[in-house]
mmCIF file of all heavy atoms in Angstrom:
data_model
loop_
_atom_site.group_PDB
_atom_site.id
_atom_site.type_symbol
_atom_site.label_atom_id
_atom_site.label_comp_id
_atom_site.label_asym_id
_atom_site.label_seq_id
_atom_site.Cartn_x
_atom_site.Cartn_y
_atom_site.Cartn_z
ATOM 1 N N TYR A 1 -12.870 6.549 36.716
ATOM 2 C CA TYR A 1 -12.475 6.975 38.051
ATOM 3 C C TYR A 1 -12.001 5.783 38.883
ATOM 4 O O TYR A 1 -11.005 5.860 39.609
ATOM 5 C CB TYR A 1 -13.643 7.680 38.753
ATOM 6 C CG TYR A 1 -13.347 8.066 40.181
ATOM 7 C CD1 TYR A 1 -12.610 9.214 40.463
ATOM 8 C CD2 TYR A 1 -13.789 7.270 41.240
ATOM 9 C CE1 TYR A 1 -12.318 9.558 41.784
ATOM 10 C CE2 TYR A 1 -13.503 7.613 42.557
ATOM 11 C CZ TYR A 1 -12.765 8.767 42.822
ATOM 12 O OH TYR A 1 -12.474 9.097 44.116
ATOM 13 N N THR A 2 -12.718 4.647 38.774
ATOM 14 C CA THR A 2 -12.360 3.452 39.543
ATOM 15 C C THR A 2 -10.951 2.981 39.206
ATOM 16 O O THR A 2 -10.226 2.497 40.078
ATOM 17 C CB THR A 2 -13.367 2.320 39.264
ATOM 18 O OG1 THR A 2 -14.677 2.766 39.624
ATOM 19 C CG2 THR A 2 -13.018 1.062 40.041
ATOM 20 N N TYR A 3 -10.567 3.142 37.948
ATOM 21 C CA TYR A 3 -9.287 2.614 37.473
ATOM 22 C C TYR A 3 -8.225 3.694 37.289
ATOM 23 O O TYR A 3 -7.217 3.455 36.644
ATOM 24 C CB TYR A 3 -9.496 1.868 36.149
ATOM 25 C CG TYR A 3 -10.225 0.558 36.296
ATOM 26 C CD1 TYR A 3 -11.617 0.491 36.221
ATOM 27 C CD2 TYR A 3 -9.524 -0.627 36.524
ATOM 28 C CE1 TYR A 3 -12.289 -0.721 36.359
ATOM 29 C CE2 TYR A 3 -10.185 -1.838 36.661
ATOM 30 C CZ TYR A 3 -11.565 -1.881 36.576
ATOM 31 O OH TYR A 3 -12.223 -3.078 36.711
ATOM 32 N N GLN A 4 -8.456 4.886 37.860
ATOM 33 C CA GLN A 4 -7.562 5.997 37.563
ATOM 34 C C GLN A 4 -6.119 5.734 38.015
ATOM 35 O O GLN A 4 -5.166 6.141 37.328
ATOM 36 C CB GLN A 4 -8.078 7.292 38.196
ATOM 37 C CG GLN A 4 -8.160 7.303 39.704
ATOM 38 C CD GLN A 4 -8.693 8.625 40.240
ATOM 39 O OE1 GLN A 4 -8.954 9.552 39.476
ATOM 40 N NE2 GLN A 4 -8.867 8.721 41.546
ATOM 41 N N ASP A 5 -5.931 5.046 39.135
ATOM 42 C CA ASP A 5 -4.569 4.745 39.582
ATOM 43 C C ASP A 5 -3.886 3.779 38.621
ATOM 44 O O ASP A 5 -2.690 3.936 38.308
ATOM 45 C CB ASP A 5 -4.582 4.157 40.990
ATOM 46 C CG ASP A 5 -4.970 5.186 42.049
ATOM 47 O OD1 ASP A 5 -4.832 6.398 41.771
ATOM 48 O OD2 ASP A 5 -5.425 4.781 43.135
ATOM 49 N N ASP A 6 -4.629 2.769 38.172
ATOM 50 C CA ASP A 6 -4.068 1.829 37.202
ATOM 51 C C ASP A 6 -3.715 2.542 35.903
ATOM 52 O O ASP A 6 -2.643 2.316 35.322
ATOM 53 C CB ASP A 6 -5.066 0.703 36.910
ATOM 54 C CG ASP A 6 -5.228 -0.260 38.078
ATOM 55 O OD1 ASP A 6 -4.389 -0.205 38.989
ATOM 56 O OD2 ASP A 6 -6.174 -1.041 38.065
ATOM 57 N N ILE A 7 -4.624 3.388 35.429
ATOM 58 C CA ILE A 7 -4.391 4.110 34.182
ATOM 59 C C ILE A 7 -3.133 4.963 34.286
ATOM 60 O O ILE A 7 -2.319 5.034 33.359
ATOM 61 C CB ILE A 7 -5.622 4.974 33.815
ATOM 62 C CG1 ILE A 7 -6.820 4.067 33.500
ATOM 63 C CG2 ILE A 7 -5.315 5.883 32.623
ATOM 64 C CD1 ILE A 7 -8.137 4.812 33.361
ATOM 65 N N ALA A 8 -2.938 5.607 35.441
ATOM 66 C CA ALA A 8 -1.743 6.429 35.652
ATOM 67 C C ALA A 8 -0.472 5.591 35.554
ATOM 68 O O ALA A 8 0.578 6.080 35.132
ATOM 69 C CB ALA A 8 -1.815 7.126 37.001
ATOM 70 N N ASN A 9 -0.570 4.310 35.935
ATOM 71 C CA ASN A 9 0.588 3.414 35.851
ATOM 72 C C ASN A 9 0.764 2.807 34.465
ATOM 73 O O ASN A 9 1.740 2.097 34.222
ATOM 74 C CB ASN A 9 0.460 2.286 36.885
ATOM 75 C CG ASN A 9 0.692 2.785 38.298
ATOM 76 O OD1 ASN A 9 1.541 3.645 38.524
ATOM 77 N ND2 ASN A 9 -0.062 2.254 39.243
ATOM 78 N N GLY A 10 -0.197 3.078 33.576
ATOM 79 C CA GLY A 10 -0.052 2.621 32.200
ATOM 80 C C GLY A 10 -0.660 1.280 31.890
ATOM 81 O O GLY A 10 -0.485 0.758 30.787
ATOM 82 N N PHE A 11 -1.394 0.704 32.823
ATOM 83 C CA PHE A 11 -2.039 -0.585 32.536
ATOM 84 C C PHE A 11 -3.249 -0.767 33.432
ATOM 85 O O PHE A 11 -3.341 -0.190 34.514
ATOM 86 C CB PHE A 11 -1.072 -1.759 32.711
ATOM 87 C CG PHE A 11 -0.571 -1.937 34.120
ATOM 88 C CD1 PHE A 11 -1.254 -2.723 35.034
ATOM 89 C CD2 PHE A 11 0.590 -1.318 34.533
ATOM 90 C CE1 PHE A 11 -0.799 -2.889 36.328
ATOM 91 C CE2 PHE A 11 1.063 -1.476 35.837
ATOM 92 C CZ PHE A 11 0.368 -2.257 36.732
ATOM 93 N N VAL A 12 -4.189 -1.589 32.952
ATOM 94 C CA VAL A 12 -5.389 -1.935 33.720
ATOM 95 C C VAL A 12 -5.463 -3.454 33.806
ATOM 96 O O VAL A 12 -5.271 -4.145 32.806
ATOM 97 C CB VAL A 12 -6.664 -1.385 33.045
ATOM 98 C CG1 VAL A 12 -7.914 -1.939 33.718
ATOM 99 C CG2 VAL A 12 -6.673 0.140 33.072
ATOM 100 N N THR A 13 -5.733 -3.978 35.008
ATOM 101 C CA THR A 13 -5.928 -5.413 35.175
ATOM 102 C C THR A 13 -7.418 -5.707 35.157
ATOM 103 O O THR A 13 -8.183 -5.156 35.943
ATOM 104 C CB THR A 13 -5.311 -5.907 36.490
ATOM 105 O OG1 THR A 13 -3.908 -5.613 36.491
ATOM 106 C CG2 THR A 13 -5.496 -7.412 36.645
ATOM 107 N N MET A 14 -7.814 -6.599 34.250
ATOM 108 C CA MET A 14 -9.228 -6.934 34.107
ATOM 109 C C MET A 14 -9.642 -7.951 35.179
ATOM 110 O O MET A 14 -8.807 -8.578 35.831
ATOM 111 C CB MET A 14 -9.487 -7.488 32.704
ATOM 112 C CG MET A 14 -9.156 -6.497 31.584
ATOM 113 S SD MET A 14 -9.218 -7.247 29.930
ATOM 114 C CE MET A 14 -10.962 -7.685 29.801
ATOM 115 N N GLN A 15 -10.950 -8.131 35.319
ATOM 116 C CA GLN A 15 -11.491 -9.027 36.340
ATOM 117 C C GLN A 15 -10.997 -10.460 36.162
ATOM 118 O O GLN A 15 -10.897 -11.209 37.130
ATOM 119 C CB GLN A 15 -13.024 -9.007 36.290
ATOM 120 C CG GLN A 15 -13.646 -7.718 36.789
ATOM 121 C CD GLN A 15 -13.673 -7.627 38.306
ATOM 122 O OE1 GLN A 15 -13.242 -8.530 38.992
ATOM 123 N NE2 GLN A 15 -14.183 -6.518 38.821
ATOM 124 N N ASN A 16 -10.685 -10.854 34.927
ATOM 125 C CA ASN A 16 -10.245 -12.228 34.666
ATOM 126 C C ASN A 16 -8.731 -12.387 34.775
ATOM 127 O O ASN A 16 -8.203 -13.459 34.523
ATOM 128 C CB ASN A 16 -10.708 -12.686 33.278
ATOM 129 C CG ASN A 16 -10.371 -11.662 32.207
ATOM 130 O OD1 ASN A 16 -9.292 -11.074 32.219
ATOM 131 N ND2 ASN A 16 -11.289 -11.433 31.287
ATOM 132 N N GLY A 17 -8.027 -11.304 35.125
ATOM 133 C CA GLY A 17 -6.575 -11.382 35.283
ATOM 134 C C GLY A 17 -5.789 -10.928 34.081
ATOM 135 O O GLY A 17 -4.574 -10.742 34.170
ATOM 136 N N ASN A 18 -6.446 -10.752 32.930
ATOM 137 C CA ASN A 18 -5.739 -10.231 31.767
ATOM 138 C C ASN A 18 -5.305 -8.792 32.032
ATOM 139 O O ASN A 18 -6.010 -8.032 32.693
ATOM 140 C CB ASN A 18 -6.626 -10.276 30.518
ATOM 141 C CG ASN A 18 -6.955 -11.688 30.101
ATOM 142 O OD1 ASN A 18 -6.218 -12.621 30.387
ATOM 143 N ND2 ASN A 18 -8.078 -11.859 29.423
ATOM 144 N N ARG A 19 -4.169 -8.420 31.495
ATOM 145 C CA ARG A 19 -3.624 -7.094 31.749
ATOM 146 C C ARG A 19 -3.584 -6.307 30.448
ATOM 147 O O ARG A 19 -3.181 -6.827 29.406
ATOM 148 C CB ARG A 19 -2.225 -7.231 32.334
ATOM 149 C CG ARG A 19 -1.507 -5.924 32.501
ATOM 150 C CD ARG A 19 -0.183 -6.184 33.180
ATOM 151 N NE ARG A 19 0.771 -5.177 32.813
ATOM 152 C CZ ARG A 19 1.831 -4.878 33.527
ATOM 153 N NH1 ARG A 19 2.052 -5.513 34.637
ATOM 154 N NH2 ARG A 19 2.665 -3.954 33.142
ATOM 155 N N VAL A 20 -3.990 -5.041 30.514
ATOM 156 C CA VAL A 20 -4.101 -4.211 29.317
ATOM 157 C C VAL A 20 -3.135 -3.032 29.415
ATOM 158 O O VAL A 20 -3.283 -2.157 30.272
ATOM 159 C CB VAL A 20 -5.543 -3.681 29.149
ATOM 160 C CG1 VAL A 20 -5.664 -2.922 27.832
ATOM 161 C CG2 VAL A 20 -6.551 -4.834 29.202
ATOM 162 N N GLY A 21 -2.122 -3.037 28.554
ATOM 163 C CA GLY A 21 -1.189 -1.923 28.479
ATOM 164 C C GLY A 21 -1.773 -0.784 27.656
ATOM 165 O O GLY A 21 -2.522 -1.009 26.704
ATOM 166 N N ILE A 22 -1.455 0.456 28.036
ATOM 167 C CA ILE A 22 -2.066 1.645 27.442
ATOM 168 C C ILE A 22 -0.990 2.502 26.790
ATOM 169 O O ILE A 22 0.078 2.723 27.364
ATOM 170 C CB ILE A 22 -2.775 2.486 28.529
ATOM 171 C CG1 ILE A 22 -3.845 1.663 29.241
ATOM 172 C CG2 ILE A 22 -3.368 3.760 27.945
ATOM 173 C CD1 ILE A 22 -4.300 2.286 30.546
ATOM 174 N N ALA A 23 -1.271 2.991 25.587
ATOM 175 C CA ALA A 23 -0.406 3.973 24.931
ATOM 176 C C ALA A 23 -1.255 5.175 24.525
ATOM 177 O O ALA A 23 -2.373 5.018 24.030
ATOM 178 C CB ALA A 23 0.280 3.376 23.705
ATOM 179 N N GLY A 24 -0.731 6.353 24.768
ATOM 180 C CA GLY A 24 -1.449 7.580 24.432
ATOM 181 C C GLY A 24 -0.664 8.775 24.922
ATOM 182 O O GLY A 24 0.561 8.715 25.065
ATOM 183 N N THR A 25 -1.343 9.863 25.199
ATOM 184 C CA THR A 25 -0.694 11.087 25.673
ATOM 185 C C THR A 25 -0.719 11.123 27.196
ATOM 186 O O THR A 25 -1.787 11.105 27.805
ATOM 187 C CB THR A 25 -1.411 12.328 25.126
ATOM 188 O OG1 THR A 25 -1.433 12.260 23.694
ATOM 189 C CG2 THR A 25 -0.695 13.603 25.551
ATOM 190 N N ALA A 26 0.462 11.158 27.788
ATOM 191 C CA ALA A 26 0.551 11.190 29.247
ATOM 192 C C ALA A 26 0.123 12.550 29.782
ATOM 193 O O ALA A 26 0.478 13.594 29.229
ATOM 194 C CB ALA A 26 1.968 10.876 29.702
ATOM 195 N N VAL A 27 -0.648 12.535 30.863
ATOM 196 C CA VAL A 27 -1.033 13.760 31.572
ATOM 197 C C VAL A 27 -0.119 13.868 32.788
ATOM 198 O O VAL A 27 -0.105 12.982 33.649
ATOM 199 C CB VAL A 27 -2.506 13.714 32.012
ATOM 200 C CG1 VAL A 27 -2.866 14.984 32.770
ATOM 201 C CG2 VAL A 27 -3.417 13.521 30.808
ATOM 202 N N LEU A 28 0.657 14.943 32.851
ATOM 203 C CA LEU A 28 1.667 15.089 33.889
ATOM 204 C C LEU A 28 1.242 16.073 34.963
ATOM 205 O O LEU A 28 0.543 17.051 34.691
ATOM 206 C CB LEU A 28 2.992 15.546 33.281
ATOM 207 C CG LEU A 28 3.607 14.667 32.186
ATOM 208 C CD1 LEU A 28 4.905 15.271 31.697
ATOM 209 C CD2 LEU A 28 3.830 13.250 32.683
ATOM 210 N N GLU A 29 1.695 15.800 36.184
ATOM 211 C CA GLU A 29 1.500 16.724 37.292
ATOM 212 C C GLU A 29 2.867 17.254 37.708
ATOM 213 O O GLU A 29 3.817 16.490 37.879
ATOM 214 C CB GLU A 29 0.836 15.997 38.463
ATOM 215 C CG GLU A 29 0.525 16.890 39.651
ATOM 216 C CD GLU A 29 -0.178 16.122 40.753
ATOM 217 O OE1 GLU A 29 0.505 15.362 41.471
ATOM 218 O OE2 GLU A 29 -1.404 16.252 40.872
ATOM 219 N N ASN A 30 2.967 18.552 37.848
ATOM 220 C CA ASN A 30 4.246 19.199 38.175
ATOM 221 C C ASN A 30 5.337 18.873 37.166
ATOM 222 O O ASN A 30 6.527 18.856 37.485
ATOM 223 C CB ASN A 30 4.716 18.792 39.578
ATOM 224 C CG ASN A 30 3.733 19.202 40.667
ATOM 225 O OD1 ASN A 30 3.113 20.259 40.573
ATOM 226 N ND2 ASN A 30 3.580 18.355 41.678
ATOM 227 N N GLY A 31 4.885 18.587 35.944
ATOM 228 C CA GLY A 31 5.831 18.385 34.861
ATOM 229 C C GLY A 31 6.565 17.067 34.843
ATOM 230 O O GLY A 31 7.401 16.821 33.974
ATOM 231 N N SER A 32 6.266 16.161 35.808
ATOM 232 C CA SER A 32 7.020 14.913 35.851
ATOM 233 C C SER A 32 6.162 13.687 36.185
ATOM 234 O O SER A 32 6.260 12.663 35.524
ATOM 235 C CB SER A 32 8.175 15.021 36.862
ATOM 236 O OG SER A 32 7.668 15.309 38.153
ATOM 237 N N ARG A 33 5.302 13.769 37.192
ATOM 238 C CA ARG A 33 4.544 12.595 37.630
ATOM 239 C C ARG A 33 3.339 12.355 36.730
ATOM 240 O O ARG A 33 2.518 13.250 36.530
ATOM 241 C CB ARG A 33 4.074 12.773 39.080
ATOM 242 C CG ARG A 33 3.486 11.494 39.687
ATOM 243 C CD ARG A 33 3.215 11.680 41.175
ATOM 244 N NE ARG A 33 2.047 12.497 41.408
ATOM 245 C CZ ARG A 33 0.794 12.017 41.515
ATOM 246 N NH1 ARG A 33 0.584 10.715 41.385
ATOM 247 N NH2 ARG A 33 -0.214 12.823 41.750
ATOM 248 N N ILE A 34 3.250 11.146 36.186
ATOM 249 C CA ILE A 34 2.123 10.782 35.327
ATOM 250 C C ILE A 34 0.895 10.547 36.202
ATOM 251 O O ILE A 34 0.929 9.733 37.136
ATOM 252 C CB ILE A 34 2.431 9.526 34.495
ATOM 253 C CG1 ILE A 34 3.615 9.783 33.563
ATOM 254 C CG2 ILE A 34 1.206 9.094 33.691
ATOM 255 C CD1 ILE A 34 4.078 8.553 32.803
ATOM 256 N N VAL A 35 -0.195 11.242 35.901
ATOM 257 C CA VAL A 35 -1.424 11.074 36.677
ATOM 258 C C VAL A 35 -2.533 10.429 35.858
ATOM 259 O O VAL A 35 -3.526 9.949 36.418
ATOM 260 C CB VAL A 35 -1.913 12.418 37.256
ATOM 261 C CG1 VAL A 35 -0.913 12.959 38.265
ATOM 262 C CG2 VAL A 35 -2.155 13.447 36.150
ATOM 263 N N SER A 36 -2.369 10.394 34.536
ATOM 264 C CA SER A 36 -3.385 9.765 33.694
ATOM 265 C C SER A 36 -2.874 9.705 32.258
ATOM 266 O O SER A 36 -1.746 10.117 31.962
ATOM 267 C CB SER A 36 -4.701 10.552 33.746
ATOM 268 O OG SER A 36 -5.726 9.854 33.062
ATOM 269 N N PHE A 37 -3.722 9.170 31.372
ATOM 270 C CA PHE A 37 -3.459 9.189 29.930
ATOM 271 C C PHE A 37 -4.706 9.689 29.221
ATOM 272 O O PHE A 37 -5.826 9.420 29.639
ATOM 273 C CB PHE A 37 -3.106 7.782 29.422
ATOM 274 C CG PHE A 37 -1.686 7.376 29.664
ATOM 275 C CD1 PHE A 37 -1.319 6.799 30.862
ATOM 276 C CD2 PHE A 37 -0.714 7.580 28.694
ATOM 277 C CE1 PHE A 37 -0.009 6.421 31.099
ATOM 278 C CE2 PHE A 37 0.593 7.203 28.919
ATOM 279 C CZ PHE A 37 0.954 6.625 30.123
ATOM 280 N N LYS A 38 -4.509 10.437 28.143
ATOM 281 C CA LYS A 38 -5.618 10.865 27.302
ATOM 282 C C LYS A 38 -5.277 10.538 25.849
ATOM 283 O O LYS A 38 -4.154 10.147 25.536
ATOM 284 C CB LYS A 38 -5.880 12.359 27.474
ATOM 285 C CG LYS A 38 -4.732 13.251 27.031
ATOM 286 C CD LYS A 38 -5.070 14.718 27.245
ATOM 287 C CE LYS A 38 -3.922 15.619 26.776
ATOM 288 N NZ LYS A 38 -4.229 17.056 26.964
#
């Protein structure tokens, strides 16, 4: 929940500054806007 906005953008920034890109199944809202990944 804390990182849900980052996850929706496809990456999470860790506390040390490292950035983690995410690949998976996009969860869409209204058929276009990505709101999360599963």
